Short mmCIF file of all heavy atoms in Angstrom, two decimals:
data_model
loop_
_atom_site.label_atom_id
_atom_site.label_comp_id
_atom_site.label_asym_id
_atom_site.label_seq_id
_atom_site.Cartn_x
_atom_site.Cartn_y
_atom_site.Cartn_z
N ILE G 4 -20.94 8.10 30.97
CA ILE G 4 -19.76 7.41 30.35
C ILE G 4 -18.58 8.30 30.36
O ILE G 4 -18.62 9.49 29.88
CB ILE G 4 -20.31 7.12 28.97
CG1 ILE G 4 -21.51 6.23 29.06
CG2 ILE G 4 -19.17 6.31 28.18
CD1 ILE G 4 -22.38 6.43 27.72
N ASN G 8 -10.10 7.94 25.04
CA ASN G 8 -9.61 7.13 23.93
C ASN G 8 -8.92 5.79 24.28
O ASN G 8 -8.44 5.73 25.49
CB ASN G 8 -8.41 7.92 23.09
CG ASN G 8 -9.00 9.13 22.36
OD1 ASN G 8 -8.71 10.30 22.87
ND2 ASN G 8 -9.54 8.93 21.29
N ASP G 14 -7.25 11.37 18.81
CA ASP G 14 -8.25 12.24 17.91
C ASP G 14 -7.29 13.37 17.33
O ASP G 14 -6.26 13.80 17.96
CB ASP G 14 -9.18 12.97 18.76
CG ASP G 14 -10.18 11.98 19.64
OD1 ASP G 14 -10.74 11.04 18.91
OD2 ASP G 14 -10.19 11.96 20.84
N TYR G 15 -7.61 13.75 16.11
CA TYR G 15 -6.95 14.94 15.55
C TYR G 15 -8.04 16.06 15.52
O TYR G 15 -8.92 16.08 14.77
CB TYR G 15 -6.55 14.79 14.16
CG TYR G 15 -5.15 13.86 14.10
CD1 TYR G 15 -5.25 12.54 14.00
CD2 TYR G 15 -4.03 14.64 14.34
CE1 TYR G 15 -4.00 11.83 13.83
CE2 TYR G 15 -2.76 13.94 14.30
CZ TYR G 15 -2.75 12.49 14.02
OH TYR G 15 -1.71 11.86 14.09
N PRO G 17 -9.47 19.90 15.01
CA PRO G 17 -9.40 20.68 13.81
C PRO G 17 -7.93 21.35 13.61
O PRO G 17 -7.46 21.33 12.57
CB PRO G 17 -10.46 21.71 13.91
CG PRO G 17 -11.58 20.96 14.62
CD PRO G 17 -10.83 20.11 15.60
N ARG G 36 0.15 13.36 -10.16
CA ARG G 36 1.01 13.95 -11.41
C ARG G 36 1.86 12.92 -11.96
O ARG G 36 2.19 12.90 -13.00
CB ARG G 36 1.81 15.06 -10.70
CG ARG G 36 2.13 16.20 -11.62
CD ARG G 36 2.93 17.31 -11.02
NE ARG G 36 2.29 17.79 -9.78
CZ ARG G 36 2.86 18.29 -8.77
NH1 ARG G 36 4.15 18.27 -8.64
NH2 ARG G 36 2.23 18.66 -7.67
N PHE G 37 2.23 11.86 -11.11
CA PHE G 37 2.98 10.81 -11.67
C PHE G 37 2.31 9.63 -12.28
O PHE G 37 2.71 8.63 -12.66
CB PHE G 37 3.97 10.22 -10.41
CG PHE G 37 5.15 11.01 -10.25
CD1 PHE G 37 5.10 12.19 -9.51
CD2 PHE G 37 6.38 10.65 -10.73
CE1 PHE G 37 6.25 13.04 -9.33
CE2 PHE G 37 7.63 11.36 -10.64
CZ PHE G 37 7.54 12.54 -9.83
N GLY G 38 0.93 9.79 -12.45
CA GLY G 38 0.04 8.93 -13.03
C GLY G 38 -0.53 7.87 -12.39
O GLY G 38 -1.00 6.86 -12.86
N PRO G 41 -6.44 6.52 -7.71
CA PRO G 41 -6.84 5.98 -6.36
C PRO G 41 -7.56 4.76 -6.27
O PRO G 41 -8.24 4.34 -7.16
CB PRO G 41 -7.81 7.12 -5.94
CG PRO G 41 -8.48 7.68 -7.16
CD PRO G 41 -7.39 7.60 -8.13
N ASP G 43 -9.62 2.19 -3.17
CA ASP G 43 -10.14 2.08 -1.93
C ASP G 43 -10.40 0.59 -1.62
O ASP G 43 -11.10 -0.14 -2.32
CB ASP G 43 -11.32 2.91 -1.57
CG ASP G 43 -11.71 3.11 -0.14
OD1 ASP G 43 -10.72 2.91 0.59
OD2 ASP G 43 -12.81 3.45 0.21
N PRO G 45 -11.38 -2.42 1.74
CA PRO G 45 -12.11 -2.43 3.07
C PRO G 45 -10.96 -2.40 4.26
O PRO G 45 -10.04 -2.90 4.10
CB PRO G 45 -12.81 -3.61 3.05
CG PRO G 45 -12.98 -4.15 1.65
CD PRO G 45 -11.81 -3.58 1.10
N VAL G 46 -11.41 -1.98 5.39
CA VAL G 46 -10.63 -2.11 6.62
C VAL G 46 -10.58 -3.49 7.13
O VAL G 46 -9.60 -3.99 7.53
CB VAL G 46 -11.21 -1.14 7.70
CG1 VAL G 46 -10.69 -1.66 9.04
CG2 VAL G 46 -10.98 0.38 7.37
N LYS G 56 2.35 -12.83 6.07
CA LYS G 56 3.11 -11.93 5.05
C LYS G 56 3.99 -10.97 5.88
O LYS G 56 4.74 -10.28 5.15
CB LYS G 56 2.10 -11.15 4.11
CG LYS G 56 1.53 -12.00 2.99
CD LYS G 56 0.11 -12.11 3.08
CE LYS G 56 -0.51 -13.21 2.29
NZ LYS G 56 -1.67 -13.83 3.00
N ARG G 88 -3.82 -8.57 -2.96
CA ARG G 88 -5.20 -9.29 -3.21
C ARG G 88 -5.88 -8.64 -4.37
O ARG G 88 -6.49 -9.45 -5.17
CB ARG G 88 -5.97 -9.12 -1.93
CG ARG G 88 -7.34 -9.80 -2.00
CD ARG G 88 -8.21 -9.63 -0.94
NE ARG G 88 -8.61 -8.25 -0.54
CZ ARG G 88 -9.36 -7.41 -1.16
NH1 ARG G 88 -9.92 -7.73 -2.38
NH2 ARG G 88 -9.46 -6.16 -0.67
N GLN G 92 -7.25 -10.66 -7.58
CA GLN G 92 -8.73 -10.84 -7.74
C GLN G 92 -9.30 -10.17 -9.01
O GLN G 92 -10.33 -10.63 -9.54
CB GLN G 92 -9.31 -10.15 -6.48
CG GLN G 92 -10.77 -10.44 -6.21
CD GLN G 92 -11.19 -10.01 -4.84
OE1 GLN G 92 -10.40 -9.99 -3.87
NE2 GLN G 92 -12.54 -9.65 -4.67
N TYR G 93 -8.77 -9.17 -9.52
CA TYR G 93 -9.34 -8.40 -10.59
C TYR G 93 -8.38 -8.45 -11.83
O TYR G 93 -8.40 -7.49 -12.60
CB TYR G 93 -9.78 -7.03 -10.28
CG TYR G 93 -10.59 -6.75 -8.94
CD1 TYR G 93 -10.04 -6.69 -7.83
CD2 TYR G 93 -11.97 -6.89 -9.15
CE1 TYR G 93 -10.78 -6.49 -6.65
CE2 TYR G 93 -12.84 -6.82 -7.98
CZ TYR G 93 -12.30 -6.54 -6.78
OH TYR G 93 -13.01 -6.34 -5.65
N LYS G 99 -2.88 -3.13 -17.47
CA LYS G 99 -1.52 -3.54 -17.19
C LYS G 99 -0.55 -2.43 -17.68
O LYS G 99 -0.73 -2.04 -18.86
CB LYS G 99 -1.23 -4.82 -18.09
CG LYS G 99 0.34 -5.03 -18.17
CD LYS G 99 0.69 -6.41 -18.64
CE LYS G 99 2.33 -6.16 -18.43
NZ LYS G 99 3.14 -7.34 -18.62
N PHE G 100 0.19 -1.95 -17.08
CA PHE G 100 0.62 -1.75 -15.63
C PHE G 100 -0.54 -1.11 -14.72
O PHE G 100 -1.11 -0.24 -15.23
CB PHE G 100 1.74 -0.97 -15.62
CG PHE G 100 2.77 -1.22 -16.74
CD1 PHE G 100 2.82 -0.50 -17.95
CD2 PHE G 100 3.66 -2.35 -16.55
CE1 PHE G 100 3.72 -0.91 -18.96
CE2 PHE G 100 4.57 -2.65 -17.62
CZ PHE G 100 4.56 -1.84 -18.80
N LYS G 102 -1.09 1.26 -11.73
CA LYS G 102 -0.52 2.22 -10.85
C LYS G 102 -1.45 2.73 -9.96
O LYS G 102 -2.43 3.46 -10.42
CB LYS G 102 0.06 3.37 -11.75
CG LYS G 102 1.21 2.88 -12.70
CD LYS G 102 1.54 4.09 -13.60
CE LYS G 102 2.46 5.11 -12.80
NZ LYS G 102 3.06 6.13 -13.78
N GLU G 122 -2.96 3.23 15.62
CA GLU G 122 -3.76 3.55 14.39
C GLU G 122 -2.98 4.60 13.70
O GLU G 122 -2.72 5.64 14.28
CB GLU G 122 -5.16 4.04 14.74
CG GLU G 122 -5.96 4.52 13.47
CD GLU G 122 -7.36 5.07 13.83
OE1 GLU G 122 -7.50 6.08 14.32
OE2 GLU G 122 -8.38 4.16 13.67
N GLU G 141 10.53 6.36 -10.33
CA GLU G 141 9.37 7.25 -10.06
C GLU G 141 9.05 7.23 -8.60
O GLU G 141 8.67 8.20 -8.04
CB GLU G 141 8.13 6.70 -10.91
CG GLU G 141 8.25 7.19 -12.33
CD GLU G 141 7.02 6.84 -13.12
OE1 GLU G 141 6.29 6.04 -12.63
OE2 GLU G 141 6.81 7.54 -14.16
N GLU G 262 18.18 11.45 -15.10
CA GLU G 262 17.39 12.15 -16.34
C GLU G 262 16.23 12.94 -15.64
O GLU G 262 15.92 13.93 -16.14
CB GLU G 262 16.80 11.11 -17.30
CG GLU G 262 17.77 10.48 -18.12
CD GLU G 262 18.61 11.32 -18.97
OE1 GLU G 262 18.13 12.50 -19.21
OE2 GLU G 262 19.64 10.99 -19.41
N LEU G 314 1.83 -15.19 -3.72
CA LEU G 314 1.18 -15.86 -2.72
C LEU G 314 -0.41 -16.08 -3.01
O LEU G 314 -1.13 -16.96 -2.49
CB LEU G 314 1.20 -15.13 -1.34
CG LEU G 314 2.66 -14.93 -0.84
CD1 LEU G 314 2.63 -14.02 0.41
CD2 LEU G 314 3.24 -16.33 -0.45
N ASN G 365 -27.95 37.43 4.89
CA ASN G 365 -27.81 37.72 3.50
C ASN G 365 -26.27 37.92 3.08
O ASN G 365 -25.82 37.59 2.15
CB ASN G 365 -28.55 39.07 3.20
CG ASN G 365 -29.99 38.78 3.23
OD1 ASN G 365 -30.55 37.66 2.86
ND2 ASN G 365 -30.80 39.82 3.60
N ARG G 371 -20.57 33.27 0.73
CA ARG G 371 -20.42 31.75 0.44
C ARG G 371 -20.67 31.57 -1.13
O ARG G 371 -20.00 30.76 -1.71
CB ARG G 371 -21.48 30.93 1.21
CG ARG G 371 -21.01 30.86 2.61
CD ARG G 371 -22.22 30.29 3.55
NE ARG G 371 -21.76 30.07 5.00
CZ ARG G 371 -22.58 30.02 5.98
NH1 ARG G 371 -23.93 29.82 5.69
NH2 ARG G 371 -22.11 29.90 7.13
N ASN G 376 -15.03 31.08 2.29
CA ASN G 376 -15.37 30.29 3.57
C ASN G 376 -15.84 31.33 4.77
O ASN G 376 -14.91 32.03 5.19
CB ASN G 376 -14.25 29.41 4.03
CG ASN G 376 -13.90 28.29 3.02
OD1 ASN G 376 -14.75 28.11 2.01
ND2 ASN G 376 -12.91 27.65 3.18
N SER G 377 -17.01 31.24 5.02
CA SER G 377 -17.49 32.27 6.09
C SER G 377 -18.58 31.75 6.91
O SER G 377 -19.22 30.75 6.59
CB SER G 377 -17.82 33.55 5.33
OG SER G 377 -18.64 33.21 4.12
N GLU G 378 -18.78 32.40 8.04
CA GLU G 378 -19.85 32.03 8.96
C GLU G 378 -20.39 33.26 9.70
O GLU G 378 -19.63 34.30 9.85
CB GLU G 378 -19.45 30.95 9.96
CG GLU G 378 -18.20 31.18 10.81
CD GLU G 378 -17.81 30.12 11.65
OE1 GLU G 378 -18.76 29.49 12.16
OE2 GLU G 378 -16.71 29.73 11.70
N TYR G 381 -23.55 32.63 15.87
CA TYR G 381 -24.94 32.13 15.83
C TYR G 381 -26.02 32.88 16.70
O TYR G 381 -27.25 32.77 16.48
CB TYR G 381 -25.03 30.60 16.31
CG TYR G 381 -24.48 29.65 15.20
CD1 TYR G 381 -23.52 28.73 15.44
CD2 TYR G 381 -25.13 29.62 13.88
CE1 TYR G 381 -23.04 27.83 14.43
CE2 TYR G 381 -24.71 28.83 13.02
CZ TYR G 381 -23.73 27.88 13.27
OH TYR G 381 -23.30 27.14 12.26
N PHE G 392 -14.01 33.65 19.80
CA PHE G 392 -14.34 32.62 18.88
C PHE G 392 -13.53 32.66 17.63
O PHE G 392 -13.01 31.58 17.20
CB PHE G 392 -15.84 32.70 18.53
CG PHE G 392 -16.44 31.71 17.44
CD1 PHE G 392 -16.71 30.41 17.80
CD2 PHE G 392 -16.57 32.11 16.16
CE1 PHE G 392 -17.09 29.58 16.79
CE2 PHE G 392 -17.09 31.36 15.25
CZ PHE G 392 -17.37 29.99 15.49
N LYS G 396 -10.51 29.87 16.05
CA LYS G 396 -10.54 29.25 14.65
C LYS G 396 -9.69 29.97 13.76
O LYS G 396 -9.66 29.70 12.47
CB LYS G 396 -11.97 29.36 14.12
CG LYS G 396 -13.05 28.43 14.93
CD LYS G 396 -14.46 28.40 14.28
CE LYS G 396 -14.51 27.52 13.11
NZ LYS G 396 -15.93 27.39 12.70
N ILE F 4 -3.66 -18.47 -1.53
CA ILE F 4 -4.66 -17.84 -0.79
C ILE F 4 -5.70 -17.35 -1.71
O ILE F 4 -5.40 -16.62 -2.63
CB ILE F 4 -4.11 -16.80 0.12
CG1 ILE F 4 -3.06 -17.18 1.05
CG2 ILE F 4 -5.21 -15.98 0.84
CD1 ILE F 4 -2.03 -16.28 1.40
N ASN F 8 -13.21 -10.80 -1.07
CA ASN F 8 -13.75 -9.85 0.03
C ASN F 8 -14.76 -10.50 0.94
O ASN F 8 -15.23 -11.65 0.69
CB ASN F 8 -14.57 -8.72 -0.72
CG ASN F 8 -13.65 -7.79 -1.56
OD1 ASN F 8 -13.75 -7.94 -2.72
ND2 ASN F 8 -13.01 -6.91 -0.95
N ASP F 14 -14.35 -3.55 -2.83
CA ASP F 14 -13.26 -2.63 -3.21
C ASP F 14 -13.83 -1.57 -4.11
O ASP F 14 -14.76 -1.76 -4.92
CB ASP F 14 -12.17 -3.39 -3.85
CG ASP F 14 -11.60 -4.53 -3.05
OD1 ASP F 14 -11.16 -4.27 -1.96
OD2 ASP F 14 -11.71 -5.62 -3.55
N TYR F 15 -13.18 -0.44 -4.11
CA TYR F 15 -13.61 0.55 -5.20
C TYR F 15 -12.13 0.60 -6.00
O TYR F 15 -11.21 1.25 -5.68
CB TYR F 15 -13.79 1.95 -4.55
CG TYR F 15 -15.30 2.01 -4.04
CD1 TYR F 15 -15.48 1.99 -2.59
CD2 TYR F 15 -16.33 2.26 -4.80
CE1 TYR F 15 -16.79 1.91 -2.11
CE2 TYR F 15 -17.58 2.35 -4.44
CZ TYR F 15 -17.82 2.16 -3.02
OH TYR F 15 -19.14 2.25 -2.53
N PRO F 17 -10.09 1.99 -9.34
CA PRO F 17 -9.83 3.50 -9.70
C PRO F 17 -11.02 4.06 -10.47
O PRO F 17 -11.47 5.18 -10.12
CB PRO F 17 -8.55 3.26 -10.50
CG PRO F 17 -7.78 2.28 -9.89
CD PRO F 17 -8.86 1.15 -9.50
N ARG F 36 -17.03 25.87 3.21
CA ARG F 36 -17.64 27.15 2.78
C ARG F 36 -18.62 27.67 3.85
O ARG F 36 -18.77 28.77 4.14
CB ARG F 36 -18.24 26.99 1.38
CG ARG F 36 -18.19 28.45 0.68
CD ARG F 36 -18.74 28.19 -0.72
NE ARG F 36 -18.24 27.12 -1.40
CZ ARG F 36 -18.97 26.31 -2.31
NH1 ARG F 36 -20.29 26.51 -2.37
NH2 ARG F 36 -18.34 25.24 -2.95
N PHE F 37 -19.19 26.77 4.53
CA PHE F 37 -20.14 27.05 5.61
C PHE F 37 -19.55 27.23 6.91
O PHE F 37 -20.14 27.34 7.94
CB PHE F 37 -21.22 26.00 5.71
CG PHE F 37 -22.39 26.24 4.71
CD1 PHE F 37 -22.24 25.79 3.35
CD2 PHE F 37 -23.57 26.90 4.99
CE1 PHE F 37 -23.26 26.05 2.40
CE2 PHE F 37 -24.63 27.21 4.05
CZ PHE F 37 -24.44 26.81 2.79
N GLY F 38 -18.25 27.05 7.07
CA GLY F 38 -17.41 27.32 8.18
C GLY F 38 -17.16 26.18 9.08
O GLY F 38 -16.75 26.37 10.28
N PRO F 41 -12.20 20.24 9.78
CA PRO F 41 -12.22 18.84 9.84
C PRO F 41 -11.80 18.33 11.16
O PRO F 41 -11.09 18.97 11.94
CB PRO F 41 -11.17 18.56 8.84
CG PRO F 41 -10.22 19.66 8.91
CD PRO F 41 -11.20 20.88 9.09
N ASP F 43 -10.77 14.26 13.04
CA ASP F 43 -10.47 12.95 12.76
C ASP F 43 -10.49 12.08 14.16
O ASP F 43 -9.90 12.59 15.03
CB ASP F 43 -9.20 12.67 12.02
CG ASP F 43 -9.01 11.27 11.45
OD1 ASP F 43 -10.12 10.66 11.15
OD2 ASP F 43 -7.96 10.89 11.18
N PRO F 45 -10.56 8.03 16.00
CA PRO F 45 -10.24 6.55 15.69
C PRO F 45 -11.31 5.71 15.23
O PRO F 45 -12.58 6.02 15.66
CB PRO F 45 -9.63 6.18 17.08
CG PRO F 45 -9.35 7.25 17.87
CD PRO F 45 -10.40 8.35 17.45
N VAL F 46 -10.98 4.65 14.47
CA VAL F 46 -11.96 3.72 14.15
C VAL F 46 -12.36 2.85 15.36
O VAL F 46 -13.57 2.59 15.40
CB VAL F 46 -11.40 2.83 13.02
CG1 VAL F 46 -12.26 1.55 12.78
CG2 VAL F 46 -11.33 3.50 11.68
N LYS F 56 -26.67 3.86 22.60
CA LYS F 56 -27.06 5.16 21.95
C LYS F 56 -27.80 4.80 20.61
O LYS F 56 -28.36 5.74 20.09
CB LYS F 56 -25.74 5.95 21.64
CG LYS F 56 -25.17 6.71 22.78
CD LYS F 56 -23.82 6.42 22.98
CE LYS F 56 -23.34 6.57 24.41
NZ LYS F 56 -22.60 5.55 24.88
N ARG F 88 -18.39 12.28 22.12
CA ARG F 88 -17.34 12.04 23.08
C ARG F 88 -16.31 13.16 23.06
O ARG F 88 -15.84 13.58 24.09
CB ARG F 88 -16.69 10.66 22.67
CG ARG F 88 -15.46 10.45 23.50
CD ARG F 88 -14.65 9.09 23.16
NE ARG F 88 -14.19 9.07 21.75
CZ ARG F 88 -13.27 9.85 21.31
NH1 ARG F 88 -12.45 10.71 22.04
NH2 ARG F 88 -12.85 9.70 20.04
N GLN F 92 -14.86 15.44 25.99
CA GLN F 92 -13.47 15.10 26.39
C GLN F 92 -12.54 16.39 26.35
O GLN F 92 -11.61 16.51 27.18
CB GLN F 92 -12.85 13.98 25.53
CG GLN F 92 -11.64 13.36 25.95
CD GLN F 92 -11.34 12.06 25.11
OE1 GLN F 92 -12.20 11.57 24.62
NE2 GLN F 92 -9.98 11.81 24.97
N TYR F 93 -12.84 17.31 25.45
CA TYR F 93 -12.03 18.43 25.14
C TYR F 93 -12.71 19.67 25.36
O TYR F 93 -12.44 20.73 24.70
CB TYR F 93 -11.38 18.38 23.76
CG TYR F 93 -10.68 17.08 23.38
CD1 TYR F 93 -11.41 16.14 22.75
CD2 TYR F 93 -9.24 16.89 23.64
CE1 TYR F 93 -10.69 14.94 22.29
CE2 TYR F 93 -8.65 15.71 23.27
CZ TYR F 93 -9.37 14.72 22.59
OH TYR F 93 -8.82 13.63 22.31
N LYS F 99 -16.32 27.61 21.25
CA LYS F 99 -17.73 27.52 21.41
C LYS F 99 -18.35 28.50 20.41
O LYS F 99 -17.98 29.70 20.37
CB LYS F 99 -18.08 27.94 22.83
CG LYS F 99 -19.57 28.36 22.78
CD LYS F 99 -20.26 28.47 24.13
CE LYS F 99 -21.69 28.58 23.78
NZ LYS F 99 -22.65 28.71 24.84
N PHE F 100 -19.03 28.20 19.60
CA PHE F 100 -19.60 26.89 19.02
C PHE F 100 -18.62 26.02 18.34
O PHE F 100 -17.59 26.53 17.74
CB PHE F 100 -20.59 27.44 18.02
CG PHE F 100 -21.49 28.53 18.45
CD1 PHE F 100 -21.13 29.85 18.24
CD2 PHE F 100 -22.67 28.30 19.36
CE1 PHE F 100 -21.97 30.86 18.73
CE2 PHE F 100 -23.36 29.27 19.76
CZ PHE F 100 -23.02 30.64 19.54
N LYS F 102 -17.92 23.68 15.14
CA LYS F 102 -18.54 23.27 13.89
C LYS F 102 -17.48 22.38 13.35
O LYS F 102 -16.43 22.86 12.88
CB LYS F 102 -18.67 24.42 13.04
CG LYS F 102 -19.70 25.56 13.50
CD LYS F 102 -19.77 26.83 12.78
CE LYS F 102 -20.46 26.46 11.38
NZ LYS F 102 -20.75 27.81 10.61
N GLU F 122 -19.70 -1.82 5.45
CA GLU F 122 -18.74 -0.76 5.55
C GLU F 122 -19.17 0.36 4.54
O GLU F 122 -19.21 0.14 3.38
CB GLU F 122 -17.32 -1.23 5.15
CG GLU F 122 -16.24 -0.04 5.11
CD GLU F 122 -14.83 -0.59 4.78
OE1 GLU F 122 -14.53 -0.85 3.61
OE2 GLU F 122 -14.05 -0.79 5.77
N GLU F 141 -28.46 26.03 8.31
CA GLU F 141 -27.09 25.78 7.62
C GLU F 141 -27.08 24.32 7.21
O GLU F 141 -26.73 23.95 6.14
CB GLU F 141 -26.07 26.29 8.44
CG GLU F 141 -25.69 27.79 8.39
CD GLU F 141 -24.52 28.15 9.15
OE1 GLU F 141 -24.11 27.33 9.98
OE2 GLU F 141 -24.03 29.31 8.90
N GLU F 262 -34.15 33.53 3.91
CA GLU F 262 -33.15 34.56 3.70
C GLU F 262 -31.95 34.00 2.90
O GLU F 262 -31.23 34.66 2.13
CB GLU F 262 -32.62 35.10 5.03
CG GLU F 262 -33.51 36.04 5.85
CD GLU F 262 -34.06 37.18 5.06
OE1 GLU F 262 -33.38 37.65 4.17
OE2 GLU F 262 -35.18 37.64 5.43
N LEU F 314 -25.10 12.29 27.79
CA LEU F 314 -24.69 10.99 28.25
C LEU F 314 -23.27 10.88 28.70
O LEU F 314 -22.79 10.06 29.52
CB LEU F 314 -24.90 9.93 27.18
CG LEU F 314 -26.27 9.78 26.68
CD1 LEU F 314 -26.30 8.81 25.46
CD2 LEU F 314 -27.26 9.18 27.67
N ASN F 365 12.69 12.80 -20.10
CA ASN F 365 12.81 14.33 -19.98
C ASN F 365 11.39 14.96 -20.30
O ASN F 365 11.11 15.87 -19.63
CB ASN F 365 13.78 14.74 -21.06
CG ASN F 365 15.29 14.33 -20.47
OD1 ASN F 365 15.54 14.30 -19.38
ND2 ASN F 365 16.11 14.14 -21.44
N ARG F 371 5.34 16.97 -15.97
CA ARG F 371 4.95 16.93 -14.51
C ARG F 371 5.32 18.24 -13.77
O ARG F 371 4.62 18.73 -12.93
CB ARG F 371 5.65 15.75 -13.90
CG ARG F 371 5.03 14.32 -14.26
CD ARG F 371 5.94 13.24 -13.70
NE ARG F 371 5.27 12.03 -14.21
CZ ARG F 371 5.95 10.80 -14.20
NH1 ARG F 371 7.16 10.76 -13.75
NH2 ARG F 371 5.26 9.67 -14.57
N ASN F 376 -0.64 15.93 -15.07
CA ASN F 376 -0.60 14.45 -14.79
C ASN F 376 -0.28 13.68 -15.96
O ASN F 376 -1.01 13.67 -16.94
CB ASN F 376 -1.99 14.12 -14.25
CG ASN F 376 -2.29 14.81 -12.88
OD1 ASN F 376 -1.59 15.51 -12.31
ND2 ASN F 376 -3.54 14.63 -12.47
N SER F 377 0.80 13.08 -15.94
CA SER F 377 1.38 12.34 -17.10
C SER F 377 2.29 11.14 -16.75
O SER F 377 2.86 11.10 -15.58
CB SER F 377 2.14 13.25 -18.09
OG SER F 377 2.99 14.01 -17.25
N GLU F 378 2.48 10.20 -17.66
CA GLU F 378 3.26 9.05 -17.42
C GLU F 378 3.91 8.48 -18.74
O GLU F 378 3.37 8.80 -19.80
CB GLU F 378 2.43 8.02 -16.80
CG GLU F 378 1.34 7.43 -17.47
CD GLU F 378 0.59 6.33 -16.69
OE1 GLU F 378 1.16 5.47 -16.20
OE2 GLU F 378 -0.58 6.37 -16.62
N TYR F 381 5.93 2.04 -19.52
CA TYR F 381 7.25 1.60 -18.81
C TYR F 381 8.13 0.74 -19.67
O TYR F 381 9.41 0.61 -19.33
CB TYR F 381 6.86 0.84 -17.59
CG TYR F 381 6.48 1.63 -16.39
CD1 TYR F 381 5.25 1.31 -15.81
CD2 TYR F 381 7.15 2.66 -15.92
CE1 TYR F 381 4.75 2.20 -14.72
CE2 TYR F 381 6.79 3.39 -14.89
CZ TYR F 381 5.63 3.06 -14.31
OH TYR F 381 5.15 3.92 -13.21
N PHE F 392 -3.65 0.36 -22.97
CA PHE F 392 -3.33 1.00 -21.63
C PHE F 392 -3.90 2.28 -21.47
O PHE F 392 -4.59 2.55 -20.43
CB PHE F 392 -1.85 0.97 -21.51
CG PHE F 392 -1.39 1.61 -20.20
CD1 PHE F 392 -1.56 0.91 -18.98
CD2 PHE F 392 -0.87 2.84 -20.17
CE1 PHE F 392 -1.08 1.42 -17.70
CE2 PHE F 392 -0.47 3.48 -19.02
CZ PHE F 392 -0.53 2.74 -17.69
N LYS F 396 -7.16 3.68 -18.84
CA LYS F 396 -7.06 4.72 -17.90
C LYS F 396 -7.80 5.93 -18.42
O LYS F 396 -7.68 6.93 -17.83
CB LYS F 396 -5.64 4.95 -17.57
CG LYS F 396 -4.99 3.88 -16.73
CD LYS F 396 -3.47 4.11 -16.39
CE LYS F 396 -3.43 4.91 -15.14
NZ LYS F 396 -1.96 4.94 -14.71
#
Side-chain angles (χ1 to χ4, degrees):
Chain G
I4 302 152
N8 292 102
D14 301 304
Y15 283 99
R36 213 177 305 145
F37 278 79
D43 195 22
V46 164
K56 282 123 200 139
R88 174 185 60 71
Q92 193 167 331
Y93 307 92
K99 159 166 187 178
F100 315 96
K102 297 173 75 170
E122 174 180 79
E141 280 185 341
E262 291 300 337
L314 300 172
N365 289 331
R371 287 170 181 165
N376 297 350
S377 44
E378 59 183 312
Y381 284 125
F392 175 78
K396 294 181 83 168
Chain F
I4 302 152
N8 291 101
D14 301 304
Y15 283 98
R36 213 176 305 144
F37 277 81
D43 196 21
V46 164
K56 282 123 199 138
R88 175 185 59 70
Q92 193 168 330
Y93 307 92
K99 156 164 191 181
F100 315 96
K102 297 173 75 169
E122 175 180 79
E141 279 184 341
E262 292 300 337
L314 300 172
N365 290 331
R371 287 171 181 166
N376 296 351
S377 44
E378 59 182 313
Y381 284 125
F392 174 78
K396 293 181 83 168

